[in-house]
Structures are given as structure tokens and as C-alpha cells.
Amino acid sequence: MIRSFDGSRIIVPNEAQGFVWAGGVDKSAIEDAAQVVRQLAEGQEIRKQRENSVWRFVIYAAAALFGLQILLVIVALIFSAFVR
């Protein structure tokens, strides 16, 4: 019966015997699922809840380190021009 259902399916992270949710079950995941249910009930389009903040942090940290490296090269070039 569920397999023949053509509508949207919502997966709720909930503990069950024999199943382990890899990311853990936190309050925000359950709240996100509730928001999707609300959006569907109101006939709204389902919006993506949030980006993976860990990857965003990694990208920003890498960009900051790369920018710092460029800044240090510029400072070294300016310093070497005055030393000669």
C-alpha cells in the first residue's frame, strides 16, 4: 500500500529497534520534518531546510587560509622591495 502511494514521503529521524540514525536524532531534525508537513498541508512548495553547515565552515576556513596565504605573499613582496 505504501509503495503504491504517489505523494510525497517524509522520513522522520526516530529511534527504532534494529535501526540506527547515522547523524543522531536531534530536535532540529524533527522540527524540520514538522515544517515539511506544514508546508505540504498548506499546499506550499517544499523548501530545502538548510545547507550542511559543517561543509560551509570547511569551505570558508579553506578560503580564509588561501586568502591569508595570498596576503602574506603580497606583504613579503612589499617587504623585499624595501629591503633591497
Side-chain angles (χ1 to χ4, degrees):
M1 182 160 192
I2 292 176
R3 292 184 183 178
S4 64
F5 179 70
D6 291 333
S8 298
R9 295 176 182 95
I10 301 170
I11 300 173
V12 179
N14 198 1
E15 292 183 17
Q17 187 175 355
F19 292 94
V20 176
W21 188 265
V25 178
D26 62 349
K27 187 177 181 181
S28 67
I30 295 170
E31 289 172 351
D32 290 345
Q35 183 178 1
V36 170
V37 170
R38 238 180 275 117
Q39 289 170 349
L40 285 173
E42 294 173 357
Q44 298 176 1
E45 182 179 330
I46 298 174
R47 294 180 296 270
K48 193 171 186 178
Q49 300 303 317
R50 66 180 123 115
E51 295 292 323
N52 192 344
S53 60
V54 173
W55 285 112
R56 184 178 296 175
F57 174 76
V58 169
I59 290 171
Y60 285 161
L65 290 174
F66 183 68
L68 180 64
Q69 192 174 20
I70 290 175
L71 181 67
L72 289 175
V73 168
I74 292 171
V75 169
L77 288 173
I78 292 171
F79 183 73
S80 68
F82 285 117
V83 171
R84 288 185 187 180

